[in-house]
Amino acid sequence: LASWIAGAFLAPREAGARNLPESTGADTSKVGSVEALIPIVQLKLQLTKSQADGRAQSPNLPRDEVTFKRIFDEYSDPVSYKQKFLDNNAFLVYYTKGFDGPNRPGIEEGDESALQTQQYGARNEAWVAWENLFLELDFAKANPNEENDLAALYPKAIAAIDSYLRLVPPDNLNKASSIALTR
């Protein structure tokens, strides 16, 4: 018993925290390309069509979080090495006030990750709206005589994807939209 107590309470444990998004296994070789943007545009088009049809049961629509986020991560700017360093060394960065050597700017100066932060935030908001829509669709399917919120949730999901697409250069969005409409 004494050895268990010592092991449970006195043994050092590895601290854990997560400030950075977990990997979704996305192929980041085509980040920012029109080719990587097409699946996101197709999601919006399929959702808009599903709203008109009154159903969203297409097998092409992702239902799980990792698959959904992977589609967005393949287009989004990945987390930079600098951001990973700052998060992994937060204690050191805080107490040195970001000192990176004489006559050099502090390591925290310059916000290179602004677009990445906006993309991941918009992706997460799109997932929440997407999940809410599908939960309500499941409820409506299981309870056809009950009142549901589908009329309000479709526009929210579409608006959430639009908020992500507003971060995309208009030329890329136009090209991806043209290609997505032909597929």
Side-chain angles (χ1 to χ4, degrees):
L1 180 65
S3 64
W4 179 84
I5 292 173
F9 296 107
L10 302 177
R13 293 187 215 164
E14 184 177 319
R18 183 168 61 97
N19 297 329
L20 298 174
E22 289 183 7
S23 173
T24 58
D27 175 8
T28 56
S29 65
K30 297 177 182 141
V31 165
S33 71
V34 172
E35 186 178 339
L37 182 59
I38 293 169
I40 300 170
V41 174
Q42 286 176 324
L43 282 180
K44 181 188 172 194
L45 292 173
Q46 288 177 332
L47 193 59
T48 304
K49 183 179 184 299
S50 297
Q51 180 184 17
D53 296 346
R55 57 184 169 76
Q57 301 304 326
S58 170
N60 298 333
L61 297 176
R63 295 292 302 259
D64 67 292
E65 183 175 7
V66 174
T67 304
F68 181 85
K69 288 182 175 182
R70 183 181 306 126
I71 293 168
F72 286 80
D73 291 355
E74 289 183 357
Y75 180 81
S76 302
D77 289 350
V79 178
S80 68
Y81 173 79
K82 179 180 175 181
Q83 188 61 46
K84 289 178 186 175
F85 175 84
L86 291 172
D87 282 14
N88 290 334
N89 297 289
F91 179 83
L92 179 65
V93 172
Y94 176 80
Y95 282 105
T96 62
K97 296 183 173 75
F99 180 75
D100 196 28
N103 301 320
R104 293 182 63 170
I107 196 165
E108 294 182 291
E109 289 182 24
D111 191 8
E112 298 170 1
S113 64
L115 178 60
Q116 182 269 331
T117 301
Q118 291 173 340
Q119 286 174 329
Y120 278 72
R123 173 205 72 174
N124 291 343
E125 290 299 318
W127 166 248
V128 169
W130 190 266
E131 182 181 38
N132 288 341
L133 173 64
F134 277 99
L135 289 172
E136 190 66 22
L137 281 164
D138 291 343
F139 173 80
K141 188 176 181 181
N143 305 289
N145 297 328
E146 295 284 327
E147 188 175 326
N148 60 57
D149 296 329
L150 290 174
L153 292 175
Y154 271 108
K156 284 182 182 179
I158 292 168
I161 293 174
D162 279 339
S163 70
Y164 180 90
L165 292 174
R166 280 194 285 281
L167 300 171
V168 173
D171 189 43
N172 282 3
L173 184 56
N174 291 336
K175 288 177 186 175
S177 296
S178 295
I179 295 168
L181 286 170
T182 63
R183 290 187 180 177

